[in-house]
């Protein structure tokens, strides 16, 4: 069945642009699409809703969680709301060992639904998910070979769960489902608590002012009441930060924020809205070094004493525009590496995590593995930061290994500096040339043969990724020709394919003390695109002519055609 709609909009140039969108619904059997061709396993298939997938992706990536249906409705919402999470769930779906299946419910006759009048897009999508889960259960019951498979619905939305139960769908919250997996109690530590109300300390005193809603922040920024900028925490002083204001205005480009309440739960790299304080409240950048010891997180009076230290002996000539954070426009949280600071209370479940990056505040997590994780490098993700908590709340993600271990510390270094270092995927490796590789006669027709030249590399002995070399020869009248040779990587990497995209994402080869992180697979970096001795390789060359009279370059010409080279090393 095919439905279509026509849309029209006005362009910036004043013209009118129209397009037609078509939606095709197939009457097929509605099987989930999956990388493996094997039949569905005999187990429960829990489809998560959008919010659960967004916030509990660390749970879904765990090796224990398998046999999950991801609906097209959910994937589309996740793609629009979080590109990083969308990439992570697509990688999980492509992993054949995980048995994650994507079901195109929006293009199936029995599961596609129209949005009702007065129904919000979110309510329509929730209803579409329930319809797909109910249909899938009925579909599997009709197949005798798969009668033991049950589709259960995972959602943390109370209203959505109640409606699902009313419609005869088996539904659980993520916490209920994870706690039912008694063979893997460590999974509970990975649960993210996504509502501030659920994470607030009982009877806790309000510490921070409330954040202004995003809609009012945008109005305030437009009218000039607030300024938008990137929050940069200080490494030396946890009670001080700088906000670099966005825009072209030279005035008030850099705003200082001092004091716990003025920092107002912002975290390094967040996009925040700040309100300038009156000039008589401006402060100077502090030279005091303050590190958060985290011994007594409820001692707010001690924090106020430290803030007073910052304000003493201030030179009036050093005063800078000062402000306070009034709201968060965009959180730029990421997984953080660090170590667990075990609680002094015996058998306590709440502990503080100390990030390796001193610009990040300590994070409170709940874990039953404190004895195991003590002395280990671990990864923790932030879930939220309620007003009555001195520190943000988060959850345990992964144990990297023992602190001080060379491999563990290298992993921390790469993760903290966001260096892509995972193994190349099969999709990337599929675009590599088949071995054994050799030069063809067809390629020779379009290249100049320079194998008669004596060419040398400037890379040290033992280097395997030789991507550049040079030659120098006399060409008469005492003049010299210098040629700089660059490996022709473009012959093997075509624009837009998975290999090209991965190379762009990595950007460069990263060299560490005892290993390197290649930008391209080793077959290219250390073999086919390496100008090694006594083997034929493709390359490009730049010619430089040096006159004998004054030894200055008189011209430079970049050849506009590929070349062929056999490298000779002395």
């Amino acid at each position: 069945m095919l439905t279509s709609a026509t849309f029209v909009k006005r362009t910036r140039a004043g013209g009118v642009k129209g397009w037609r969108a078509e939606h095709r619904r197939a009457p097929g059997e509605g099987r989930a699409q999956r990388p493996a061709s094997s039949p569905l396993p005999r187990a429960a298939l829990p489809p998560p809703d959008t919010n659960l997938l967004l916030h509990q992706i660390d749970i879904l990536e765990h090796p224990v969680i398998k046999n999950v249906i991801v609906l097209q409705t959910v994937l589309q919402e996740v793609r629009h709301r979080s590109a990083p999470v969308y990439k992570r769930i697509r990688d999980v779906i492509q992993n054949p060992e995980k048995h994650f299946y994507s079901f195109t419910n929006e293009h199936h006759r029995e599961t596609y639904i129209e949005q009702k009048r007065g129904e919000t897009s979110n309510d329509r999508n929730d209803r579409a998910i329930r319809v797909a889960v109910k249909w899938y259960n009925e579909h599997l019951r009709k197949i005798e070979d798969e009668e033991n498979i049950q589709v259960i619905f995972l959602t943390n939305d109370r209203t959505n769960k109640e409606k699902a139960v009313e419609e005869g769908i088996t539904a659980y919250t993520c916490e209920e489902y994870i706690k039912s997996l008694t063979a893997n109690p460590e999974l509970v530590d990975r649960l993210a608590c996504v509502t501030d109300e659920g994470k607030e300390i009982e009877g806790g005193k309000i510490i921070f002012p409330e954040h202004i809603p995003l809609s009012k922040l945008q109005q305030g920024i437009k009218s000039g009441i607030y300024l938008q900028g990137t929050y940069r925490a200080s490494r030396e002083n946890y009670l001080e930060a700088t906000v670099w204001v966005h825009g072209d205005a030279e005035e008030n480009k850099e705003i200082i924020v001092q004091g716990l309440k003025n920092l107002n739960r912002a975290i390094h790299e967040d996009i925040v809205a700040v309100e300038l304080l009156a000039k008589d409240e401006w402060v100077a950048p502090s030279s005091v070094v303050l590190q958060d010891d985290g011994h007594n997180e409820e001692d707010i009076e001690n924090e106020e004493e430290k803030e007073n230290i910052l304000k003493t002996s201030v030179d009036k000539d050093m005063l800078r525009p000062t402000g306070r954070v009034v709201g968060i426009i965009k959180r730029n949280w990421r997984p953080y590496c660090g170590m667990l600071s075990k609680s002094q209370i015996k058998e306590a479940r709440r502990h503080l995590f100390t990030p390796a990056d001193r610009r990040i505040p300590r994070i409170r997590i709940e874990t039953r593995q404190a004895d195991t994780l003590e002395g280990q490098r671990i990864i923790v993700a932030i879930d939220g930061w309620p007003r009555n908590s001195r520190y943000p709340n988060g959850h345990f993600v992964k144990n990297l290994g023992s602190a001080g271990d060379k491999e563990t510390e290298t992993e921390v270094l790469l993760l903290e500096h966001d260096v892509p270092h995972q193994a190349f995927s099969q999709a990337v490796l599929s675009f590599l040339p088949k071995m054994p590789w050799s030069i063809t006669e067809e390629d020779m027709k379009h290249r100049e043969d320079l194998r008669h030249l004596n060419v040398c590399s400037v890379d040290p002995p033992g280097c395997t990724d030789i991507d550049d070399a040079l030659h120098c020869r006399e060409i008469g009248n005492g003049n010299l020709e210098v040629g700089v040779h660059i490996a022709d990587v473009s012959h093997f990497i075509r624009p837009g394919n998975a290999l090209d995209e991965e190379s762009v994402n990595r950007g460069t080869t990263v060299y560490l003390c005892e290993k390197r992180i290649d930008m391209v697979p080793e077959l290219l970096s250390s073999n086919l695109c390496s100008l090694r001795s006594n083997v034929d390789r493709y390359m490009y060359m730049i010619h430089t002519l040096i006159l004998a009279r004054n030894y200055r370059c008189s011209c430079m010409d970049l050849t506009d055609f590929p070349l062929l080279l056999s490298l000779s090393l002395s």
Side-chain angles (χ1 to χ4, degrees), residues 415-427:
L415 290 171
E416 282 296 298
H417 290 84
D418 197 23
V419 178
H421 59 286
Q422 66 279 5
F424 289 99
S425 67
Q426 286 301 318

Side-chain angles (χ1 to χ4, degrees), residues 53 69 109 183 386 395 470 528:
L53 197 153
I69 298 173
R109 184 178 59 187
H395 65 272
L470 54 86
L528 302 183

Side-chain angles (χ1 to χ4, degrees), residues 230-274:
T230 302
Y231 180 90
R232 307 281 189 185
S234 170
R235 292 181 186 273
E236 288 74 32
N237 188 343
Y238 74 99
L239 292 177
E240 184 174 281
T242 303
V243 175
W244 293 89
V245 178
H246 300 167
D248 299 327
E250 293 296 327
E251 188 179 6
N252 299 331
K253 194 70 178 176
E254 180 182 343
I255 298 175
I256 294 175
V257 183
Q258 274 189 4
L260 196 63
K261 293 182 180 179
N262 287 342
L263 297 176
N264 199 7
R265 298 171 286 161
I267 294 177
H268 184 65
E269 296 290 353
D270 282 349
I271 307 299
V272 301
V274 293

Side-chain angles (χ1 to χ4, degrees), residues 276-441:
L276 273 177
L277 300 178
K279 284 195 174 183
D280 59 354
E281 297 182 73
W282 286 11
V283 299
S286 174
S287 59
V288 177
V289 176
L290 284 179
Q291 297 298 328
D292 184 10
D293 51 30
H295 292 322
N296 189 355
E297 58 184 281
E298 296 180 0
D299 190 0
I300 303 303
E301 294 181 1
N302 185 37
E303 303 291 350
E304 294 174 354
E305 291 178 6
K306 292 180 179 179
E307 291 176 18
N308 292 330
I309 296 175
L310 303 180
K311 299 176 182 178
T312 58
S313 63
V314 175
D315 186 351
K316 292 184 178 181
D317 295 332
M318 296 293 291
L319 296 180
R320 296 288 184 271
T322 307
R324 64 187 182 95
V325 175
V326 295
I328 308 297
I329 296 171
K330 182 184 178 184
R331 290 290 194 187
N332 281 321
W333 296 342
R334 59 175 176 83
Y336 301 102
C337 300
M339 296 185 68
L340 188 72
S341 301
K342 190 178 176 183
S343 173
Q344 301 287 330
I345 303 173
K346 189 177 180 180
E347 297 183 358
R349 289 187 178 180
R350 286 186 174 183
H351 309 271
L352 285 179
F353 164 82
T354 304
D357 189 343
R358 290 188 300 181
R359 296 170 296 185
I360 307 301
R362 292 170 182 255
I363 303 168
R364 183 189 294 106
I365 67 171
E366 290 191 23
T367 177
R368 296 159 179 78
Q369 309 175 64
D371 293 334
T372 305
L373 299 179
E374 192 173 19
Q376 302 287 301
R377 291 286 192 182
I378 63 175
I379 298 178
V380 163
I382 296 178
D383 299 329
W385 196 341
R387 295 173 59 197
N388 66 347
S389 174
R390 171 66 182 81
Y391 298 108
N393 294 310
H395 65 272
F396 166 76
V397 175
K398 186 180 181 182
N399 185 357
L400 296 175
S402 299
D405 177 74
K406 182 176 66 177
E407 291 298 323
T408 300
E409 298 300 337
T410 300
E411 181 77 3
V412 170
L413 187 69
L414 294 172
L415 290 171
E416 282 296 298
H417 290 84
D418 197 23
V419 178
H421 59 286
Q422 66 279 5
F424 289 99
S425 67
Q426 286 301 318
V428 171
L429 297 177
S430 66
F431 286 96
L432 293 176
K434 306 300 180 185
M435 296 299 287
W437 175 86
S438 61
I439 295 171
T440 64
E441 291 296 327

Side-chain angles (χ1 to χ4, degrees), residues 183-218:
N184 301 95
E186 73 279 1
L187 281 175
V188 178
D189 289 350
R190 287 197 174 208
L191 283 171
C193 188
V194 295
T195 59
D196 281 352
E197 292 77 8
K199 295 178 289 185
E200 288 186 354
I201 303 172
E202 295 181 6
K205 178 183 176 183
I206 297 298
I207 303 172
F208 299 99
E210 188 174 1
H211 286 150
I212 296 174
L214 183 59
S215 58
K216 292 185 178 180
L217 287 179
Q218 292 171 337

